Amino acid sequence: VYVLSACLLRLLDSGSAEELMESATQTCNSDLTLTQRTSHTEPAAAGRKLTIGILGSSVARGFCASSCLGWSAMLKDALQNQFGYSTVNMSVAGADVETTLQTFDRFVPRCKPDILIISLSLGNEGIFLCPPSQRKRVQMRFENGIRELIAKTVEIGARPVLGGVYPNGDSVPHTYELLKETNRNMINLGLPMLNWLDALDDGNGRW
């Protein structure tokens, strides 16, 4: 796990998003040969060690956190220490729903995650920088993309978990309303969700 983390960080500094995903899945494939796995269409057998995938962007990658140890790193350590589960972080800085959908089929199934956390950002869709007249369109594109990613996750036999929308330092009253609306829409999908907005929002949609 530590070799994988170091490799991903080096690639973030110097490589492309595809190189990053390729490295993650190559290491994942070699590590998974050490773990006996069962069919992903069946519930996890008692005592079987699960693999948790994380599919997101820079926050899920740990950017701006101390030593890049953000929520994904803390989650990885907790799952490993408490349950012996492994975690593969396939997040790419700057990723949006379109680029994530484009690379999903190539990389995610190879890691055979039992659970996949999908945690993308409306900020990377451009909602805080686009003209106000385009914000609703950006919001709908994001929500539709999340639904497509959920469907893809189910297709490969993994169980989807959502990471909700994040606050953003450029939020204004209108974008804050859209953030809250998308957050509610994601909750209403009925899946487990890490509700970042309610936990981190300053009351104005900002960190």
Side-chain angles (χ1 to χ4, degrees):
V1 171
Y2 293 110
V3 172
L4 172 59
S5 299
C7 180
L8 294 181
L9 289 173
R10 285 198 302 271
L11 283 169
L12 279 171
D13 289 335
S14 60
S16 69
E18 288 207 353
E19 288 172 330
L20 173 64
M21 298 285 277
E22 184 72 34
S23 174
T25 49
Q26 284 176 352
T27 309
C28 172
N29 288 340
S30 64
D31 287 348
L32 287 178
T33 61
L34 303 177
T35 304
Q36 184 178 6
R37 305 184 60 79
T38 59
S39 170
H40 283 258
T41 62
E42 300 294 332
R48 186 168 68 87
K49 303 304 183 183
L50 302 181
T51 296
I52 315 300
I54 300 175
L55 193 63
S57 51
S58 58
V59 178
R61 191 61 263 140
F63 278 28
C64 295
S66 177
S67 301
C68 283
L69 298 177
W71 68 262
S72 57
M74 291 187 283
L75 178 64
K76 180 194 79 172
D77 289 345
L79 292 174
Q80 175 64 40
N81 294 336
Q82 294 182 42
F83 307 107
Y85 296 168
S86 61
T87 302
V88 180
N89 193 341
M90 296 169 280
S91 302
V92 177
D96 57 19
V97 291
E98 181 179 0
T99 59
T100 304
L101 284 164
Q102 289 172 352
T103 58
F104 188 101
D105 290 338
R106 180 175 176 184
F107 298 109
V108 178
R110 291 160 57 182
C111 281
K112 299 181 180 178
D114 297 282
I115 296 169
L116 185 66
I117 302 173
I118 304 164
S119 190
L120 293 166
S121 165
L122 261 172
N124 285 355
E125 306 298 321
I127 198 167
F128 301 105
L129 300 177
C130 70
S133 61
Q134 296 181 17
R135 289 173 182 161
K136 193 67 178 177
R137 184 184 309 167
V138 170
Q139 178 196 30
M140 295 306 299
R141 183 179 66 215
F142 175 80
E143 293 185 15
N144 289 337
I146 293 295
R147 292 188 187 93
E148 289 185 55
L149 288 168
I150 291 169
K152 284 182 170 291
T153 301
V154 172
E155 285 174 5
I156 65 169
R159 299 179 180 180
V161 173
L162 298 179
V165 294
Y166 299 111
N168 190 283
D170 292 321
S171 186
V172 296
H174 183 219
T175 56
Y176 185 32
E177 291 304 313
L178 295 177
L179 281 176
K180 290 188 291 185
E181 183 178 31
T182 292
N183 204 55
R184 289 193 299 270
N185 290 342
M186 292 175 72
I187 290 171
N188 289 337
L189 292 173
L191 297 172
M193 190 174 100
L194 304 171
N195 193 338
W196 306 123
L197 189 65
D198 286 352
L200 303 172
D201 171 27
D202 69 350
N204 297 290
R206 301 186 178 201
W207 295 105

